[in-house]
């Protein structure tokens, strides 16, 4: 199955709402999806995104985002990694 590659640009992101404003539409999240790490994990595992694995989300310009955003993005990488490790979900988040 071909890999869906999603590119996001973190330049100017200031807080967690900025990533969800970019990430959720890119993944085809349902309207009821919450803007939090648990919701991303649950949706990955349950297959709630319209975009189906395999997925690679690359967040570019991470060094141009705020420090708090970089810290949050690192936590989001862990969410993707955990979904892969625990359930075999072929989805990765890469920071560039």
């Amino acid at each position: 199955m071909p890999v869906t590659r999603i590119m996001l640009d973190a330049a100017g992101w200031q807080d967690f709402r900025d990533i969800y404003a970019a990430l959720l539409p890119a993944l085809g999240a349902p309207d009821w999806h919450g803007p939090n790490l648990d919701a991303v994990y649950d949706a990955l595992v349950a297959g709630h995104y319209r975009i189906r694995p395999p997925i690679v989300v690359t967040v570019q310009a991470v060094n141009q985002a705020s420090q708090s955003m970089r810290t949050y993005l690192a936590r989001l990488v862990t969410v993707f990694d955990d979904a892969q490790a625990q359930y075999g979900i072929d989805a990765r988040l890469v920071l560039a």
Side-chain angles (χ1 to χ4, degrees):
M1 177 173 266
V3 175
T4 300
R5 297 187 184 282
I6 298 170
M7 303 295 277
L8 302 176
D9 185 353
W13 288 357
Q14 297 299 310
D15 68 33
F16 75 95
R17 288 176 290 253
D18 296 326
I19 186 147
Y20 292 112
L23 179 65
L24 297 182
L27 291 173
D31 293 339
W32 47 261
H33 193 294
N36 61 69
L37 299 170
D38 289 337
V40 171
Y41 180 83
D42 291 345
L44 282 168
V45 170
H48 289 288
Y49 296 125
R50 284 188 289 278
I51 303 298
R52 298 287 180 215
I55 305 166
V56 176
V57 179
T58 301
V59 181
Q60 300 178 70
V62 170
N63 62 338
Q64 296 177 32
S66 70
Q67 177 59 47
S68 64
M69 190 71 253
R70 291 192 302 270
T71 300
Y72 194 86
L73 283 167
R75 292 176 61 204
L76 190 56
V77 167
T78 301
V79 168
F80 275 72
D81 291 348
D82 287 350
Q84 187 171 44
Q86 295 169 0
Y87 291 95
I89 305 302
D90 193 1
R92 291 187 304 130
L93 184 78
V94 178
L95 305 181

